Amino acid sequence: MTLRVLAFLLAVLPLACREAPRGLVVANGDDVSLLHPQRTASISDARVLQAMHAGLTRLDPQTLSPEPGLARRFEASEGGRRWRFELRPGLRWSDGLALQVEDVERSWRQLADPSQGSPYANWLEGATIRTTPADPRDSTDGGSLEIEFPHPQPSFAEMCAFPALAPIAGHAPPEQVGSGPFRFVSRRVRDRIVVERNPFYWDAAQVAIPAIDFLTVDSQVTALNLFLAGEVAYAPNAPELAVPALLAERGEAFQPQPQFASTFLRFQVTQPPFDRLEHRRAFVAAIDPDALAASLGRVRQPAWHLVPPESPHWEPPPVPRWRSAPPALPQPAREQRFELLYNSSELNRSVAEVLQAQWLANLDLEVALINQEWKSFLAAQRGLDYQISRSSWIGDYLDPLAFLEIFHSESGNNRTGWSDAVYDGLIEAARGESEPEARRLLLREAERRLLDQAIIAPLYHEVGLELIDPRLEGLHRNLRGYIDWGRVRWSPEEPPS
């Protein structure tokens, strides 16, 4: 589809005004891989999980400040090393059974258990959890929970709004029973997941949308067409080709905004060819992020670092000097086959083709492009069954550590095979440092080492290209792409007809 044809369609197709069949329809992206809050690592999964599972806190959709959720009160002491949560009385699971403070404790212990395989197990590493059950004689008492960390966790209230820390029912699979504003109805693989309003949600009276259909739509062009036809009210990513026309013709629905997210390449460092530092550096030095961003329409900001510039009070380390030197790959390495793995999407294909061209031009190497659907791609990345892999990360909380901790050797989100005692020591020292400037310096040095060792190749910092029906209220653009589905509603002035 050419830009001229797309501009014409945008001009002649008004946003349809008929209501979605089940209240709200979302073009959710890749097929959901796991409906398990503690094991997911996909933003498509997270959007559904945020509807089905509630945390002890939730975030203000505009400011991203933590607010009471399942916990009616929370407080920190000792610089965030100790946290206390007081649960609301009368909490229930989506099947009507009682949700108690002991369920939170059990869920958190399960998350921290290495045998469970959660990529977020390190969030609770070394923590001590104590609970005080609700007093059955006091109808206003929901029980309380205290957690003590071996190091400060100043962002823990924000982290508690993330699905990984949501309580999980012990009597039913998390795919079917949760505590969020919506509850599971049905799923058709590679088609849709349907959820409906949960009458047992603690804030059920404020949930205005009767049901949500999360459609599997891995093509951004298809998602755009569905949005223009009024078949979906929200699509998380518009295609780059459509950006100029959308800005000109659909400003009420399309307002790009920076996100706390980065796209980069991972190198699998346990086997040849990228077990050698000089090979990784040559491939990184051959990449021109500025030219890549220009090829994508200059919507995204070229990245020379992993941590996005939106990180509060952050100053990145210098770009490694070797990045400015002409890239060179030793002759023996040229006899090997090189592959770049990426998951299916128009954007990812475009990025892969630009990188392929840059490596050919700067290294005189033909790199094979391997395309896989999301589930296979994720399995290959987690199993280290790749050489170079396209990757992206959106910060789970607004702190540089949200990006840098994923490359700790014990992180389930590492997915490179890299283990470095110096880097691990910097991350652990930063976790234990309560003085802000000293902590920033430790994290800055950690990023410098990550980049110098060429474990990743930063490509660009993400921009939210969300398409939002202007008649929706409560669905706000923000740095994290966070959506509180329980606060989304149709405007009373312009309800769909």
Side-chain angles (χ1 to χ4, degrees):
M1 183 184 295
T2 67
L3 183 57
R4 182 175 298 176
V5 172
L6 186 56
F8 171 76
L9 291 175
L10 286 165
V12 301
L13 287 176
L15 288 174
C17 58
R18 53 197 177 90
E19 185 176 3
R22 293 185 57 84
L24 180 63
V25 182
V26 172
N28 194 45
D30 295 309
D31 194 31
V32 169
S33 56
L34 282 172
L35 278 178
H36 195 301
Q38 295 182 352
R39 298 174 188 168
T40 186
S42 157
I43 188 63
S44 299
D45 295 8
R47 273 190 288 269
V48 182
L49 291 169
Q50 285 167 347
M52 293 176 54
H53 294 272
L56 298 192
T57 64
R58 60 179 181 177
L59 303 182
D60 182 297
Q62 293 179 285
T63 68
L64 298 180
S65 299
E67 300 177 342
L70 296 178
R72 62 182 175 183
R73 296 188 187 91
F74 57 90
E75 60 182 359
S77 59
E78 298 183 26
R81 201 172 73 84
R82 294 173 183 264
W83 287 85
R84 184 178 185 277
F85 298 87
E86 183 180 316
L87 267 63
R88 299 177 187 275
L91 292 174
R92 295 189 177 277
W93 297 104
S94 57
D95 60 0
L97 295 182
L99 192 167
Q100 300 173 327
V101 69
E102 292 87 350
D103 293 313
V104 181
E105 179 184 14
R106 173 185 45 77
S107 300
W108 286 7
R109 293 191 185 282
Q110 178 179 312
L111 176 67
D113 183 353
S115 68
Q116 296 299 311
S118 171
Y120 295 95
N122 62 303
W123 279 10
L124 299 180
E125 184 179 2
T128 301
I129 304 171
R130 294 182 293 273
T131 59
T132 301
D135 184 347
R137 299 165 298 178
D138 184 356
S139 62
T140 66
D141 184 9
S144 64
L145 177 147
E146 294 184 9
I147 183 167
E148 180 179 338
F149 294 95
H151 48 74
Q153 281 278 28
S155 300
F156 191 64
E158 192 178 341
M159 295 160 69
C160 282
F162 190 74
L165 287 171
I168 295 176
H171 63 281
E175 297 88 345
Q176 298 178 6
V177 173
S179 57
F182 293 85
R183 61 184 180 184
F184 179 82
V185 174
S186 64
R187 177 178 187 179
R188 290 203 297 262
V189 175
R190 295 202 59 78
D191 180 24
R192 72 187 63 207
I193 292 174
V194 180
V195 297
E196 66 181 4
R197 185 165 44 208
N198 174 15
F200 302 107
Y201 178 53
W202 71 266
D203 200 22
Q206 300 303 315
V207 179
I209 300 291
I212 306 176
D213 284 29
F214 291 95
L215 304 186
T216 297
V217 185
D218 52 19
S219 166
Q220 295 168 353
V221 172
T222 300
L224 172 61
N225 290 335
L226 290 171
F227 183 83
L228 293 175
E231 297 295 327
V232 303
Y234 174 78
N237 291 298
E240 267 65 20
L241 185 65
V243 168
L246 285 167
L247 288 171
E249 303 290 344
R250 292 289 182 268
E252 77 284 8
F254 182 70
Q255 298 164 22
Q257 176 177 311
Q259 288 198 321
F260 192 54
S262 296
T263 292
F264 53 95
L265 300 179
R266 279 179 164 96
F267 291 94
Q268 205 275 65
V269 303
T270 66
Q271 296 177 347
F274 295 113
D275 57 338
R276 302 192 57 154
L277 176 60
E278 63 266 31
H279 296 175
R280 300 195 300 270
R281 283 182 171 177
F283 269 72
V284 175
I287 296 172
D288 183 348
D290 291 314
L292 173 61
S295 73
L296 300 177
R298 301 189 183 277
V299 178
R300 292 170 169 85
Q301 180 179 347
W304 300 86
H305 301 87
L306 174 64
V307 178
E310 287 73 26
S311 185
H313 313 296
W314 179 248
E315 181 182 347
V319 175
R321 291 182 179 179
W322 52 262
R323 285 215 63 171
S324 59
L329 193 66
Q331 184 59 38
R334 296 179 172 277
E335 301 173 4
Q336 304 182 58
R337 173 181 168 85
F338 294 92
E339 297 178 349
L340 168 61
L341 176 69
Y342 68 96
N343 58 298
S344 303
S345 84
E346 292 95 346
L347 172 62
N348 293 344
R349 182 178 65 247
S350 297
V351 170
E353 290 172 351
V354 172
L355 294 173
Q356 183 186 51
Q358 290 186 355
W359 285 323
L360 180 61
N362 298 324
L363 291 176
D364 194 27
L365 277 179
E366 186 74 43
V367 176
L369 304 182
I370 308 298
N371 174 288
Q372 292 182 347
E373 55 85 22
W374 173 249
K375 289 183 181 178
S376 299
F377 167 82
L378 189 59
Q381 197 181 75
R382 286 175 168 169
L384 302 184
D385 186 18
Y386 72 92
Q387 291 182 341
I388 315 170
S389 173
R390 177 266 174 197
S391 301
S392 63
W393 192 258
I394 185 165
D396 301 319
Y397 51 98
L398 295 177
D399 190 287
L401 188 62
F403 286 82
L404 298 173
E405 71 175 356
I406 68 177
F407 293 103
H408 189 285
S409 60
E410 295 183 2
S411 170
N413 288 313
N414 183 307
R415 306 182 212 162
T416 64
W418 186 52
S419 178
D420 182 76
V422 174
Y423 185 85
D424 288 356
L426 289 166
I427 294 299
E428 290 160 9
R431 287 173 176 163
E433 181 57 65
S434 58
E435 201 283 312
E437 183 58 26
R439 181 177 183 271
R440 278 194 293 271
L441 290 175
L442 288 165
L443 291 175
R444 189 171 184 262
E445 177 60 20
E447 183 172 29
R448 187 204 64 77
R449 184 163 183 83
L450 177 71
L451 298 175
D452 186 62
Q453 294 296 301
I455 305 304
I456 64 168
L459 299 178
Y460 54 83
H461 300 301
E462 286 287 357
V463 171
L465 301 180
E466 297 164 295
L467 291 162
I468 302 176
D469 191 311
R471 300 164 301 173
L472 283 175
E473 297 180 346
L475 208 168
H476 300 283
R477 297 171 176 87
N478 54 62
L479 287 173
R480 283 183 46 195
Y482 170 83
I483 301 173
D484 185 343
W485 297 105
R487 293 196 254 198
V488 176
R489 62 188 63 240
W490 292 106
S491 168
E493 288 76 21
E494 280 191 273
S497 57

